[in-house]
């Protein structure tokens, strides 16, 4: 079909950086989640924006699907080439281009990972705040609209991307946003591109907001007898304006998975893990106030520290939650649910979900960025048993339906991809048609990441 | 042409709430700025979304322009019906629909003003933060992408609108966003609508983020001998991470205008006005640290207070700046420039602007939300002297060109309207064409606020 001519045109300037090896195709045809293998026709490794532009023009000429690829850590199958085509892997575009400490911003290529960026920033006193757990690429994080543990204080990718360079479906290269902290100069194209999951363009450069490293940090963990007590502690903490930088919930099953995976010794009950950023005085006061709130909800003693090693151990444990939970059922794949509700509805959403899971035939430990009203169940599926995938779908469906009934969203941070397509109509009504209209306006051929986010054609 | 049939159809359900009186047309054909009178053909006063939907369908049928109107306080001619048509004045849609204190959000109709909302919130311990000075309507503020004095801490309208109800050009009614604090469920239609200046739809309901009233507030003012000292104080304050809730610059001419208008007794020199929000201890510490930074830059003594009456007097003075400056030249109209630059370039931008103004034939006091890198010159024009408008245009043009050269934007907060159209190509390049593509996709007839934001057809 299109492949021979398209691949020949691509190979003419990419050379060895165009791959059709089986291992490469298989690697870019899988995801971290429960979706089936779906390999592309080829994988390109561009080195600069000009090459991405050439790639896009050739693919447009041959009606060849183009799918961006960062670190492959997305959970809803965003980067799976379900119609074949070309995966554009940004791993060679991994330069931190310019750190502008005085303006607290940085220009990066899309293949830089968030950990690599923070490593480069180490000497500046600044950091990049968005932290989804996985060491994702920044281009992928922008495309997905990622968030994570620090969002309650520092915001999501939408809040932290100041500007983008994007290659559009027709090969035009645009710059959106800029370096001013705010602008009212027309439609917010940056905001439109962030979270568009590669369906409107390929991100080839990002300008990101940085934050000053706090002078002091305190962090700690508190066990609770009942889930409701933990969740109500979160509600009161937010409403009292105690400035948490992170506030994470893990249920009993997750705590057990941590103990097995990381050799920790958490009691068999739900926990909150919290962090405060500020001055030495303020982080001590914040921790003390939080401790009082937790005690009011029968918290079983809040242990906190300002030592970096304690904090690192705490968050390393939290960051490995996905892998710890996976390891709790050897050989399992995971379907990770991702609902977000108004915080006043959080206790109800979590309690009813727990009740569902208690009746379920598969395990689904719960954890979440509860300061935003966002939580996940990591549903563990034996891939050899199709009835377990059905059971996971049933549980996920109930969670999403409940979240929408409570005024929430089908996905707080993981995105639509393919896994949440079926809820877009329910959540957005005719707004989903508007998204389709925008997609058709910017990508009339439909070559950019087909099968994702938009109603399948 | 279209008017008789269209007006008859509109009148059939609006009755007395469709007006073609000369006084009404003239009122809705003017702006607070320097643009010429340009009356509409009629003014509608809908009472609910259903009526707005009917209005839109009738106007679409008759190719009649539709222009939203809040309080008429915009400064770039956004709401001027330059091609005639129907102005939709939202003053009767002024209800606060639901305050959800536990979730710190509120649903409002578009005609509610920011002051009216904060009045209604008084008993809740919450407030709506965006404060552009004028008592604008919240629908207008969303359409313009307004910001103002508190943005340095609490963000712009883009950061504080959680969701919208919008009537599209074809009469469809969509809901964008929602009540969850974050969502990754598809394109950010809320973000696309905020700042779209009535060119993509009419906003008929808003869900807004609220913030907790700080336990304590400190505010004060500091005079400086030189502009550069004031601006460098801002730079150091931001970079040291002192959490200002407002940090406003006024130059010597603005201080003199305050004295004449409000009977104050500010020394004839530039000033910074600042505010801190937090606990009683933290706002005292923040003020003390700011005082030290100001002293390092030869500040002439930082006077601050935690008393509400002192603070109210300070910000009333600042909020009346536009009117105080207008009053300083009786009979004058104003062209208010509105550039925003990366904060590292702010000193240069202000200093070079001052040098321009020192050579100019008209006065142009400078003031700004300098914590964001955003500042204004209020250029005062005798409307009977066309050469003064030319001089104002020349000065504004130089400011914008300088801002763009320094990596900034042509408008930090006032928007494009008609006044900044000529800079869109320079600022966005092909990105402006993309905006046009989006506009054409959602409003193919071009009935929504023609002549604004998008390249004139």
């Amino acid at each position: 079909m299109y492949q021979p001519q398209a691949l020949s045109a691509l190979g003419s300037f990419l050379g060895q950086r165009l791959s059709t090896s089986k291992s490469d195709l298989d690697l870019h045809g899988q995801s971290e989640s429960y979706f089936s293998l779906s390999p592309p026709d080829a994988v390109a490794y561009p080195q600069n924006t000009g090459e991405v532009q050439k790639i896009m023009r050739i693919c447009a000429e041959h009606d060849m699907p183009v799918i961006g690829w960062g670190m492959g850590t997305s959970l809803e199958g965003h980067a799976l080439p379900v119609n074949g085509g070309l995966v554009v892997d940004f791993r060679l575009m991994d330069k931190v281009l310019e750190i502008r400490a005085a303006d607290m911003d940085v220009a990066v290529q899309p293949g830089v990972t968030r950990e690599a960026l923070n490593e480069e920033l180490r000497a500046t006193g600044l950091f990049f705040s968005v932290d989804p757990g996985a060491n994702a690429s920044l281009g992928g994080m922008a495309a997905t609209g990622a968030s994570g543990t620090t969002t309650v204080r520092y915001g999501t990718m939408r809040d932290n991307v100041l500007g983008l360079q994007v290659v559009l479906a027709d090969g035009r290269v645009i710059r959106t946003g800029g370096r001013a902290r705010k602008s009212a100069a027309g439609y917010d194209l940056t905001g439109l591109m962030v979270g568009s999951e590669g369906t409107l363009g390929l991100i080839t450069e990002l300008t990101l907001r940085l934050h000053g490293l706090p002078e002091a940090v305190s962090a700690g963990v508190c066990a609770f007898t009942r889930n409701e007590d933990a969740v109500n502690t979160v509600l009161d903490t937010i409403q009292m304006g105690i400035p948490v930088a992170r506030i994470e919930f893990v249920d009993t099953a997750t705590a057990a998975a941590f103990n097995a995976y990381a050799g920790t010794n958490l009691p068999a009950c739900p926990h909150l893990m919290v962090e405060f950023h500020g001055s030495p005085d303020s982080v001590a006061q914040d921790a003390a106030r939080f401790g009082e709130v937790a005690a009011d909800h029968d918290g079983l003693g809040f242990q906190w520290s300002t030592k970096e090693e304690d904090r690192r151990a705490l968050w390393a444990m939290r960051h490995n939650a996905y892998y710890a939970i996976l390891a709790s059922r050897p050989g399992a794949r995971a379907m990770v649910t991702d609902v977000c509700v108004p915080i006043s509805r959080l206790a109800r959403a979590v309690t009813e979900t727990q009740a569902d899971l208690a009746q379920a035939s598969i395990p689904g430990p719960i954890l979440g960025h509860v300061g935003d009203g966002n939580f996940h169940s990591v549903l563990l599926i034996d891939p050899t048993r199709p009835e377990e995938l059905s059971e996971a779908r049933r549980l996920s469906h109930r969670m999403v339906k409940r979240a929408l009934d409570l005024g929430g969203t089908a996905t707080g941070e993981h995105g639509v991809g393919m896994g949440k397509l079926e809820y877009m109509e329910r959540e957005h009504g005719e707004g989903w048609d508007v998204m389709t209209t925008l997609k058709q306006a910017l990508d009339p051929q439909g070559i950019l990441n087909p099968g994702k986010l938009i109603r399948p054609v």
Side-chain angles (χ1 to χ4, degrees), chain A:
Chain A
M1 317 279 283
Y2 49 72
Q3 288 97 328
Q5 303 93 316
L7 295 184
S8 150
L10 290 165
S12 72
F13 68 96
L14 289 169
Q16 295 296 313
R17 292 184 287 102
L18 181 73
S19 170
T20 53
S21 78
K22 179 160 190 320
S23 63
D24 243 347
L25 302 186
D26 283 353
L27 182 69
H28 294 89
Q30 64 188 19
S31 80
E32 288 217 1
S33 194
Y34 61 93
F35 300 95
S36 313
L37 192 72
S38 175
D41 295 294
V43 182
Y45 297 90
Q47 287 179 322
N48 55 55
T49 302
E51 288 188 349
V52 177
Q53 184 177 40
K54 278 192 197 174
I55 288 168
M56 195 75 93
R57 288 186 170 146
I58 290 166
C59 289
E61 188 184 336
H62 296 276
D63 264 331
M64 185 171 188
V66 182
I67 302 98
W69 187 279
M71 292 287 283
T73 55
S74 71
L75 293 170
E76 297 293 357
H78 298 78
L80 285 182
V82 289
N83 295 3
L86 183 72
V87 163
V88 180
D89 183 323
F90 284 103
R91 75 178 59 187
L92 300 181
M93 290 176 68
D94 65 346
K95 309 292 178 302
V96 175
L97 298 172
E98 192 180 1
I99 299 168
R100 294 167 292 232
D103 292 310
M104 301 204 291
D105 68 39
V106 64
V108 299
Q109 289 186 314
V112 177
T113 68
R114 65 173 187 85
E115 287 180 4
L117 174 58
N118 278 323
E119 194 58 40
E120 285 238 16
L121 291 171
R122 187 167 285 225
T124 64
L126 301 170
F127 77 108
F128 177 69
S129 63
V130 186
D131 173 6
N135 186 25
S137 73
L138 293 160
M141 286 171 64
T144 311
S147 51
T149 58
T150 61
T151 292
V152 66
R153 170 137 184 181
Y154 297 101
T156 69
M157 283 305 278
R158 293 201 201 282
D159 304 303
N160 286 286
V161 178
L162 291 168
L164 295 171
Q165 185 187 61
V166 181
V167 178
L168 300 176
D170 59 9
R172 280 181 299 172
V173 180
I174 61 168
R175 284 195 176 269
T176 72
R179 292 190 49 226
R181 279 286 151 148
K182 63 183 193 185
S183 172
Y187 305 154
D188 183 7
L189 297 182
T190 306
L192 182 64
M193 291 294 165
V194 173
S196 67
E197 305 186 354
T199 64
L200 298 178
L202 290 181
I203 295 168
T204 49
E205 192 181 313
L206 305 91
T207 300
L208 301 171
R209 184 186 289 253
L210 302 175
H211 298 272
L213 279 169
E215 189 189 350
V217 177
S218 63
V221 61
C222 186
F224 293 83
T225 309
R226 303 184 315 158
N227 290 308
E228 304 89 283
D229 294 328
V231 174
N232 287 327
T233 297
V234 176
L235 191 64
D236 283 3
T237 300
I238 298 292
Q239 282 173 14
M240 290 173 64
I242 303 175
V244 280
R246 312 184 199 241
I247 185 162
E248 297 287 309
F249 170 80
V250 298
D251 72 354
T252 304
T254 304
F258 287 157
N259 288 341
Y261 188 75
T264 50
N265 196 22
L266 299 172
C269 53
H271 293 71
L272 289 177
M273 300 171 167
V274 295
E275 186 167 281
F276 304 98
H277 294 176
S279 68
D281 285 354
S282 76
V283 300
Q285 284 164 18
D286 294 337
R289 286 176 72 201
F290 174 80
E292 289 165 18
V293 176
D296 286 346
H297 292 284
D298 300 329
L300 304 171
F302 175 49
Q303 306 291 325
W304 63 277
S305 161
T306 55
K307 288 190 196 147
E308 186 170 352
E309 62 268 32
D310 295 342
R311 201 164 72 236
R312 280 190 182 274
L314 179 68
W315 299 117
M317 181 169 67
R318 170 64 186 85
H319 277 152
N320 285 323
Y322 180 64
Y323 303 106
I325 292 169
L326 268 181
S328 72
R329 191 177 182 197
R333 301 289 286 172
M335 177 187 292
V336 190
T337 68
D338 171 44
V339 294
C340 188
V341 296
I343 193 163
S344 66
R345 312 298 182 89
L346 182 61
R348 184 171 157 193
V350 170
T351 304
E352 294 186 8
T353 301
Q354 288 279 2
D356 270 7
L357 288 164
Q359 305 292 323
S361 65
I362 55 172
I366 287 182
L367 70 174
H369 318 305
V370 281
D372 310 315
N374 184 202
F375 69 99
H376 314 288
S377 166
V378 184
L379 298 166
L380 294 172
I381 305 158
D382 177 343
T384 66
R385 303 181 61 186
E387 68 274 22
E388 293 203 355
L389 181 58
S390 304
E391 174 73 344
R393 285 193 198 282
R394 185 185 70 83
L395 293 163
S396 172
H397 183 76
R398 284 179 61 84
M399 277 180 74
V400 170
K401 184 173 177 306
R402 182 178 301 122
L404 293 175
D405 288 344
L406 295 173
T409 175
T411 167
E413 57 183 8
H414 293 170
V416 181
M418 298 189 295
K420 292 291 167 66
L421 266 181
E422 65 182 299
Y423 304 109
M424 291 292 278
E425 177 114 43
R426 164 82 198 277
E427 181 162 344
H428 298 292
E430 293 194 304
W432 197 29
D433 299 323
V434 172
M435 295 183 201
T436 305
T437 301
L438 298 174
K439 162 74 174 177
Q440 288 169 341
L442 293 182
D443 178 20
Q445 290 173 268
I447 58 172
L448 283 166
N449 207 7
K452 318 298 163 58
L453 195 149
I454 292 300
R455 197 192 302 276
V457 288

